[in-house]
């Protein structure tokens, strides 16, 4: 099934009534700074955790293109729920990149997702602007093919609920060191989740700090050992491609919701001066049009690049600027659209109880995810101008 397949109906995987319940709970989790346990339970029951798992392993067999549409839809209801689930979908998406290309090693992620496991994404570390290409976490061989990880991961979404954490660390002691090790650890006493998530927005993601004190991954859950630095390994392409596409989807979903709310308000607010609805005001019409023009560019871009990942199109080195550019355009567009929506809605949107004020806070998180604006620009500059001369 593909997103362009008329047989693909997003409501089959995310029914309207489920979406409405998630939407109703979103302000409560934002206000109380709590993880949306019920959203997760209902999404799990609906099979959402295994949408990217092939049907022969018990999943829905969707591609990245369909998952991207679903994540846009989920983000219109609850951006933080969508962003948190994104991290689990990233790992199942990387598993799909592997299996589509005949690379073994992540079948346990697919089987785990079908069994209801929740995979978190433990990549970010304080001050590690190398992101995927380096790590300050120690990965020490246990002697039987496994590794023990010690270090601190920051912003671990799904913190209260994950069952397995996919992470990376640096092996500096093996004969062929240094090697970056990608692996999955279980939730044991060697993993300590902080209680430090009190943020401006995306509060329900509960992306708390994770301290690893020799957390072990056995040999079966060590996925890759690669050279640090830029690397053509499928783990790097898999994470990069799925992460950027799904992240762009979440923020594009936020923009869609802001646009819909702005349109609703424009129809209901009336001008005392003219007696007409604001939808008849030329300035408001221009603003809504401006939002629509910006928003309309993103869903087709997401669909095209997601399809290229699904169909194994080889963009070579261009992939990196295409993907980081997509994420950059999505978050820039979304911030612009939410800004405009606040202006259309007027002072009411400044109240905490107004959904737009939450979207306004949530959308700001977009710039911090990789690829951040600096990284997206340096990737694009290198693609067009060549690397910086030493
Ligand atoms: C809502 C949200 C959810 C996220 N979910 C995930 C997730 O699930 N998994 C994941 O891997 N990433 C996640 N991220 C992380 C994100 O992608 C970025 O890595 C993160 O925002 C850090 O950005 P930064 O490097 O600009 O932050 P910075 O401000 O540079 O650093 C973040 C923290 O690290 C500290 N720090 C900075 N420099 C150093 C240093 N040199 N030494 C020690 N500490 C330092 C800072 O004090 C700060 O507390 C999430 C981000 C957000 C906003």
């Amino acid at each position: 099934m593909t997103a362009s397949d008329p047989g693909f109906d997003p409501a089959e995987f995310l029914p309207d009534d489920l979406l409405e319940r998630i939407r109703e709970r979103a302000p409560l989790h934002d206000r109380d700074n709590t993880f949306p346990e019920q959203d997760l339970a209902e999404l799990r029951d609906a099979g959402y955790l295994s949408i990217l798992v092939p049907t022969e392993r018990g999943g829905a067999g969707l591609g990245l293109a369909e998952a991207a549409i679903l994540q846009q839809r989920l983000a219109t209801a609850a951006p933080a729920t969508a962003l948190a689930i994104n991290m689990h979908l990233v790992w199942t998406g990387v598993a799909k990149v592997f299996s589509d290309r005949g690379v073994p090693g992540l079948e346990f992620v697919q089987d785990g997702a079908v069994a209801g496991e929740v995979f978190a994404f433990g990549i970010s570390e304080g001050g590690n602007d190398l992101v995927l290409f380096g790590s300050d976490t120690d990965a020490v061989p246990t002697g039987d093919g496994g590794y023990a990880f010690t270090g601190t991961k920051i912003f671990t979404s799904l913190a209260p609920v994950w069952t397995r954490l996919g992470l990376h660390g640096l092996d500096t002691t093996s004969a062929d060191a240094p090697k970056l090790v990608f692996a999955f650890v279980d939730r044991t006493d060697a993993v300590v989740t902080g209680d430090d998530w009190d943020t401006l927005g995306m509060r329900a993601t509960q992306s708390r700090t994770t301290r690893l004190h020799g957390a072990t991954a056995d040999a079966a859950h060590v996925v890759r050992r690669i050279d640090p630095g830029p690397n053509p390994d499928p783990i790097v392409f898999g994470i990069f491609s799925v992460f950027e596409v799904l992240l762009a989807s979440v923020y594009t979903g936020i923009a869609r919701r802001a646009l819909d709310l702005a349109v609703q308000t424009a129809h209901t607010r009336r001008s005392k001066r003219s007696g007409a609805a604001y939808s008849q005001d030329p300035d408001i019409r221009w603003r809504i049009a401006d939002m629509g023009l910006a928003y309309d560019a993103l869903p087709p871009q997401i669909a095209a690049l997601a399809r290229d990942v699904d169909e194994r199109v080889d963009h070579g080195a261009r992939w990196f600027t295409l993907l980081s550019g997509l994420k950059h355009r999505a978050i820039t567009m979304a911030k612009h659209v939410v800004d405009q929506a606040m202006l259309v809605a007027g002072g009411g949107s400044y109240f905490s109880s107004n959904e737009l004020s939450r979207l306004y806070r949530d959308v700001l998180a977009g710039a911090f995810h990789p690829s951040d604006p600096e990284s997206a620009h340096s990737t694009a500059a290198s693609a067009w101008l060549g690397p910086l001369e030493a």
Side-chain angles (χ1 to χ4, degrees), residues 252-311:
T252 298
I254 296 177
R256 176 56 194 255
R257 178 65 179 167
L259 178 50
D260 286 344
L261 288 172
V263 168
Q264 269 175 31
T265 335
H267 282 304
T268 48
R269 283 182 85 200
R270 286 196 165 268
S271 162
K272 197 110 184 159
R273 195 158 27 92
S274 68
Y278 269 39
S279 57
Q280 302 307 307
D281 179 307
D283 293 333
I284 298 286
R285 293 180 71 80
W286 186 89
R287 224 180 259 293
I288 297 267
D290 186 57
M291 295 163 74
L293 288 167
Y295 165 78
D296 276 344
L298 260 297
Q301 291 179 38
I302 294 172
L305 279 189
R307 197 178 50 236
D308 285 357
V309 175
D310 284 336
E311 295 177 357

Side-chain angles (χ1 to χ4, degrees), residues 83 87 121-127 154-157 197 202 205 207 243 365 368-370 372:
L83 183 64
M87 303 304 163
F121 191 71
I123 296 296
S124 296
E125 298 167 353
I154 58 170
F155 289 84
T156 314
S157 300
W197 187 249
M202 290 294 189
T205 60
S207 312
F243 187 88
F368 302 127
H369 307 289
D372 65 20

